[in-house]
Amino acid sequence: MNFKDQIDVNRLPQHIAIIMDGNGRWAKNQGKFRVFGHESGVLSVKDIVEGCVEIGVKYLTVYAFSTENWNRPIEEVNALMELLISTINQEVETLNKNNIRLNAIGDLKSLPQKCIDDLAAAMDKTKTNTSCTLTLALSYSAKWEIVEAAKKIAELVKADNLNIDQINEELFASYLTTAKMPDPELMIRTSGEHRISNYLLWQMAYTELYFTETLWPDFRREDLFEAIVDYQKRERRFGKISEQLN
Ligand code: IPE
Ligand code: IPE
Ligand code: MG
């Protein structure tokens, strides 16, 4: 039986987060430049988004560029920004055809102006779509996001618009970039690295983590379905004991 048929559609994760890793190594393994790996990785993104729509996953959030990635060689950063712009513009029609809403989180104002503009236009064109929300984490890091939320809340307190007693987990989460989304139930990282790399630290407090050796440009929807089947075999206890569940 293939993995798709093993999925229990009544217990799907609503939100899947992915760290798309291994593009550089994938290209290098073939004696190609790293940017070839990034270009090939776009095909994986397309297949995974369609896989999510196919089975009914409502939110997919992919780590496309971290705050730390600004420290890469300038040629690679530039190539990634150009790839981002061309991909957004090429794919907006397909996103609409598949009823997918495009969203972005991160320090977006640090991106090149063309990127900011094209991203905003694509988000606007897809804003009424309802099958799945695809969120790109761009110039994103979780520590940055948490500090930004703390600053906004501090401003409210300072202006006497918020009482310190009103600050709780729910309020704090409402100042994060993911405010309108459920927390991811499942996080997938490709390429055999077993770390979080400053991704969604608050939101992943109770997320199931799935690591695979597969490099991102080789990752396809069947691999996604395999990860979901693995997720569905786990017992999520949230601090309780087994006997208390059900
Ligand atoms: C992930 O692949 C893509 C980005 C971080 C933009 P990498 O570029 O990190 O590939 P490896 O980890 O060097 O193989
Ligand atoms: C994490 O991958 C960021 C993205 C996938 C965009 P990296 O390849 O940059 O992560 P580290 O630096 O190896 O942890
Ligand atoms: Mg990497």
Side-chain angles (χ1 to χ4, degrees):
M1 193 155 68
N2 63 30
F3 288 110
K4 188 185 167 192
D5 295 335
Q6 294 175 49
I7 293 175
D8 176 354
V9 288
N10 298 313
R11 292 192 306 118
L12 276 180
Q14 282 193 83
H15 184 176
I16 297 178
I18 302 186
I19 302 179
M20 314 183 287
D21 199 11
N23 295 352
R25 278 163 283 168
W26 184 88
K28 227 170 154 189
N29 288 345
Q30 305 172 53
K32 302 258 175 60
F33 291 114
R34 293 178 56 86
V35 62
F36 179 64
H38 298 313
E39 286 163 2
S40 303
V42 173
L43 301 177
S44 300
V45 180
K46 290 182 57 164
D47 198 60
I48 295 315
V49 180
E50 284 173 24
C52 284
V53 173
E54 185 182 327
I55 58 170
V57 172
K58 284 292 183 194
Y59 297 88
L60 174 68
T61 301
V62 296
Y63 209 0
F65 193 87
S66 71
T67 306
E68 290 76 17
N69 288 147
W70 289 113
N71 297 319
R72 291 194 177 191
I74 184 73
E75 300 77 24
E76 179 164 346
V77 171
N78 289 341
L80 280 166
M81 292 302 146
E82 274 170 31
L83 182 63
L84 180 64
I85 293 168
S86 60
T87 305
I88 291 167
N89 290 320
Q90 258 163 44
E91 295 306 322
V92 65
E93 230 170 275
T94 314
L95 291 173
N96 270 333
K97 209 168 68 205
N98 292 323
N99 197 18
I100 297 158
R101 184 168 77 92
L102 183 68
N103 178 37
I105 57 171
D107 186 13
L108 303 179
K109 60 186 183 314
S110 68
L111 298 169
Q113 193 57 46
K114 171 101 176 112
C115 200
I116 297 174
D117 295 344
D118 291 5
L119 194 57
M123 290 196 290
D124 191 59
K125 279 184 195 150
T126 62
K127 70 179 176 208
T128 57
N129 294 343
T130 54
S131 74
C132 178
T133 298
L134 166 64
T135 300
L136 307 178
L138 292 167
S139 194
Y140 174 88
S141 78
K143 286 189 176 179
W144 164 84
E145 171 183 48
I146 290 168
V147 169
E148 288 300 303
K151 281 192 209 162
K152 285 178 204 149
I153 294 166
E155 287 290 349
L156 290 175
V157 174
K158 193 176 155 199
D160 259 342
N161 286 326
L162 185 72
N163 216 306
I164 289 189
D165 303 333
Q166 292 173 287
I167 302 174
N168 55 25
E169 290 180 14
E170 201 186 342
L171 179 119
F172 197 91
S174 75
Y175 284 91
L176 296 172
T177 61
T178 50
K180 294 184 187 76
M181 296 185 234
D183 287 340
E185 296 95 330
L186 171 64
M187 193 285 286
I188 299 169
R189 184 171 189 151
T190 57
S191 89
E193 307 295 356
H194 293 185
R195 56 177 173 261
I196 302 297
S197 301
N198 217 346
Y199 194 37
L200 302 173
L201 294 180
W202 173 285
Q203 298 85 342
M204 298 209 294
Y206 248 115
T207 297
E208 296 297 328
L209 307 180
Y210 179 89
F211 298 101
T212 170
E213 294 292 319
T214 305
L215 301 173
W216 179 250
D218 287 329
F219 197 83
R220 286 293 180 275
R221 70 184 83 181
E222 195 57 16
D223 303 290
L224 173 77
F225 299 156
E226 181 175 9
I228 294 173
V229 168
D230 185 278
Y231 159 83
Q232 291 188 331
K233 286 185 187 140
R234 301 182 189 190
E235 183 174 71
R236 305 190 75 202
R237 290 189 290 278
F238 298 100
K240 295 181 180 172
I241 64 168
S242 262
E243 288 72 14
Q244 290 176 290
L245 304 176
N246 305 319

